[in-house]
Amino acid sequence: MTTRKILLTISVLLCLITQGISQDVIIKRNGTEIQTKIIQITDDLIKYKDYSFLDGPLRSLYISEVFMVVYENGQRERFDQITEVEKQPQKESQKTQTNELYEYRENNTVSSKNESHFALGIGYGNSYGGVGTKVQFIQELGGDFSIGIQASIGTILDINSDEINSILSYSGGILIYPFKSFYLNLQYGGFGIYYKANYDFDSGSLSFSPELLYGPTVLVGYELFLSEHFGLNLGAGGCYDLNGGNQYYYAYDVGLIFRF
């Protein structure tokens, strides 16, 4: 018989003899005795109050630490120690839960890696070169902040003359996204038509021809995505003409965005 078993046996005998079976006694595996009033025993815990302080707090002790309980009526209940074989399924379960938690975090946590994407826009306005299309490249820089570049080509129609004419327009610029969908568009290029006066000295006649307005444009816009890849683009701002008379004009955008 080992020393530890001898100590446990002695503790039990002393408990039965000296305590007169007047209270519950918890005997721990290290030989320590606790004079208690047991309140509840669950699968994992023994909940009790100190016998000398029954109005005190409710305490608890893991069953794995307990060798035996001797109740006040003399009944004894022994708690066999869990073997390593019995612990194995619990370890495997904990391992499975850990792996599942790791996979969940991998699949649901937002990646810290900054991503980039291309977008194609079709619409009408300054960023589209009149009626046209634009291509964007956007690079995320962290959080909701992104920056990108844009190029567009389109056609501006002359509908104020007797014949409908069109002028090829183009522009390029920088996009700044301080928030996820709101952006500031700084661009330079064509955005409208003005009419240039042409006087023929030989015939003494005066005629007007459509010419392209171009210069810097500032737009504040919003991209409303209805799905992962498809959305609407709305923008408004102002532009300054450097070609037809150095005047300010309103700027606007309305279009569809396809993100890749």
Side-chain angles (χ1 to χ4, degrees), residues 25 28 57 61 66 83 89 103 136 141 144 150 156 164 205 210 218 223:
V25 180
K28 299 177 67 176
L61 189 67
V66 177
T83 63
E103 291 176 0
Q136 298 175 342
L141 298 180
D144 291 333
Q150 171 186 295
I156 299 176
I164 297 179
S205 61
V218 177
E223 295 176 351

Side-chain angles (χ1 to χ4, degrees), residues 123-154:
Y124 177 75
N126 291 60
S127 296
Y128 297 94
V131 179
T133 183
K134 64 179 180 179
V135 177
Q136 298 175 342
F137 173 78
I138 309 299
Q139 175 66 53
E140 297 178 1
L141 298 180
D144 291 333
F145 186 82
S146 303
I147 192 168
I149 56 175
Q150 171 186 295
S152 65
I153 185 170

Side-chain angles (χ1 to χ4, degrees), residues 134-198:
K134 64 179 180 179
V135 177
Q136 298 175 342
F137 173 78
I138 309 299
Q139 175 66 53
E140 297 178 1
L141 298 180
D144 291 333
F145 186 82
S146 303
I147 192 168
I149 56 175
Q150 171 186 295
S152 65
I153 185 170
T155 298
I156 299 176
L157 299 178
D158 172 23
I159 59 176
N160 295 320
S161 61
D162 295 336
E163 297 181 359
I164 297 179
N165 300 312
S166 64
I167 297 179
L168 183 65
S169 176
Y170 54 88
S171 65
I174 297 175
L175 296 166
I176 301 174
Y177 291 79
F179 304 104
K180 192 171 185 64
S181 297
F182 288 94
Y183 66 86
L184 179 65
N185 187 343
L186 308 174
Q187 68 179 34
Y188 184 89
F191 55 81
I193 290 178
Y194 77 99
Y195 297 94
K196 183 179 179 180
N198 301 301

